[in-house]
Amino acid sequence: MVLGGFDIMVIALVVFVILVLFAGIKTVPQGYQYTVERFGRYTRTLEPGLNIITPFIERVGARMNVMEQVLNVPTQEVITKDNASVSADAVSFYQILNAAQAAYQVSNLENAILNLTMTNIRSVMGSMDLDELLSNRDAINDRLLRVVDDAVQPWGIKVTRVEIKDIQPPRDLVDAMARQMKAEREKRAQVLEAEGSRNAQILRAEGSKQSAILQAEGQREAAFRNAEARERLAEAEAKATKMVSEAIAAGDVQAINYFVAQKYTEALTAIGSANNSKVVLMPIEASAILGSLSGIGAIAKEVFGDGTNPPTPPAQRQVTTRTTPPVNPFNQNPER
């Protein structure tokens, strides 16, 4: 079969239409934005989905990823404010908000963000002391985020996070910090031990004080009770003496006998229970005690009477006097 000129033109036209369709229809995936250039100049941005451009006049310029992306910041040396050298690395998260600005305002976007983050890490960390640098990592992250985000705003970029991953001081500096920390801990331990010892001494002193106070109060209470007991004993003694005196005045001879015998017996008990006497020699017999008691009773009868005969008046009372010859103490053999 031989094709004619018309058939060849139709086939060529169909192929041309297909090529035009392929050149004019563009599909943009989700998470990306394409820029459209007309004769090399930016005209518009294609959103995700199916888009149509003018073939041979417009073309797709830059294909920009608008999803949040991660940028690793390599380790670098930083000199702190107090001239300490440390190594630090970080990670940065950014997102393209304006594809046209990100494509045409800066060349090599990732390299620009990386170098900008590294220089700001040196600036921020270099303005801080080592102790502040190690203890205020959140403050460093906030300052870095604020500075880098302000710097990339003209590029249509939003920096969402900048995090310091690791800060490594030199080995000798780490050893010095370890010794310092150990010294501080030992110092705090000694301070706590001293405070504990002081508190213990204070508590012991307070306990001794309370013990002395309670002991003094106990002694005072005991003295008060002893005095009260002695007072009651004296009252009982006075009452007993008064009763005996009244009995004697009433002519009760047994009362005076009981009173004299009680005192006599108490005196003998006191002599026998003395600490400085082991053996007591007494030229006294039980009959002598009874004789003394009977003599006392006889005297009382003479004074008060026996109850049937009235007592003899003093003028009519006969007094009998007996003279006792003197006794020679050196005469050991009396006359037989």
Side-chain angles (χ1 to χ4, degrees):
M1 180 180 178
V2 179
L3 297 177
F6 179 76
D7 294 333
I8 295 174
M9 290 182 60
V10 171
I11 294 173
L13 182 60
V14 171
V15 173
F16 178 75
V17 171
I18 293 174
L19 292 175
V20 169
L21 291 176
F22 273 103
I25 298 174
K26 298 297 181 182
T27 302
V28 180
Q30 184 66 37
Y32 285 83
Q33 289 181 354
Y34 293 173
T35 62
V36 178
E37 299 175 356
R38 180 177 298 174
F39 299 114
R41 182 176 181 178
Y42 168 78
T43 57
R44 57 194 174 93
T45 301
L46 300 181
E47 298 294 335
L50 186 63
N51 297 271
I52 298 176
I53 64 174
T54 304
F56 309 111
I57 297 176
E58 296 178 342
R59 69 180 182 89
V60 175
R63 292 173 171 85
M64 306 303 297
N65 185 353
V66 295
M67 294 182 291
E68 188 171 2
Q69 302 177 61
V70 181
L71 183 63
N72 288 318
V73 180
T75 303
Q76 58 179 332
E77 295 291 331
V78 179
I79 305 299
T80 61
K81 186 178 180 180
D82 52 354
N83 296 324
S85 178
V86 297
S87 299
D89 57 355
V91 60
S92 177
F93 297 83
Y94 70 95
Q95 185 178 13
I96 297 175
L97 300 180
N98 192 318
Q101 291 180 350
Y104 301 111
Q105 293 291 333
V106 62
S107 177
N108 198 349
L109 179 63
E110 288 190 358
N111 189 32
I113 297 175
L114 178 62
N115 284 277
L116 185 63
T117 304
M118 293 178 65
T119 55
N120 280 280
I121 286 175
R122 293 193 188 97
S123 299
V124 173
M125 297 179 65
S127 63
M128 304 173 69
D129 294 333
L130 180 60
D131 294 337
E132 186 180 2
L133 186 68
L134 296 176
S135 60
N136 295 328
R137 187 169 296 188
D138 291 338
I140 298 173
N141 295 334
D142 293 339
R143 291 180 59 183
L144 284 173
L145 176 61
R146 186 171 60 254
V147 173
V148 175
D149 186 48
D150 292 340
V152 299
Q153 269 187 351
W155 303 341
I157 305 298
K158 174 63 179 178
V159 178
T160 56
R161 296 179 68 88
V162 177
E163 297 286 341
I164 298 296
K165 291 196 298 184
D166 192 16
I167 299 176
Q168 296 179 352
R171 186 61 187 175
D172 55 348
L173 188 58
V174 173
D175 295 338
M177 293 171 61
R179 291 194 298 270
Q180 181 182 2
M181 180 180 64
K182 183 178 179 181
E184 289 292 334
R185 291 181 181 274
E186 291 179 352
K187 176 183 177 181
R188 287 198 296 268
Q190 292 176 359
V191 170
L192 291 176
E193 183 178 359
E195 290 180 355
S197 177
R198 184 190 64 179
N199 293 333
Q201 292 178 0
I202 292 175
L203 291 176
R204 284 196 293 268
E206 289 290 337
S208 300
K209 176 182 176 182
Q210 294 294 331
S211 176
I213 291 174
L214 293 176
Q215 185 177 3
E217 291 180 354
Q219 292 178 356
R220 184 183 66 179
E221 185 68 20
F224 176 76
R225 292 183 180 274
N226 290 334
E228 185 178 2
R230 288 195 300 270
E231 181 181 359
R232 291 184 179 180
L233 181 61
E235 291 179 356
E237 289 276 347
K239 186 175 181 180
T241 305
K242 181 179 180 182
M243 292 177 65
V244 171
S245 300
E246 291 178 353
I248 293 173
D252 190 356
V253 179
Q254 297 297 328
I256 191 170
N257 290 340
Y258 172 77
F259 184 74
V260 173
Q262 181 183 9
K263 296 298 181 182
Y264 199 83
T265 305
E266 290 177 356
L268 292 179
T269 302
I271 293 173
S273 61
N275 294 328
N276 57 354
S277 61
K278 299 301 181 180
V279 179
V280 179
L281 300 177
M282 300 181 63
I284 301 174
E285 297 178 356
S287 60
I289 298 175
L290 296 177
S292 300
L293 294 177
S294 62
I296 294 172
I299 294 174
K301 288 181 179 180
E302 292 179 0
V303 175
F304 302 105
D306 55 358
T308 57
N309 297 324
T312 305
Q316 300 178 0
R317 185 176 304 169
Q318 183 178 0
V319 179
T320 304
T321 304
R322 186 176 61 181
T323 304
T324 304
V327 179
N328 187 6
F330 298 98
N331 188 7
Q332 300 295 330
N333 297 319
E335 292 181 359
R336 297 180 180 177

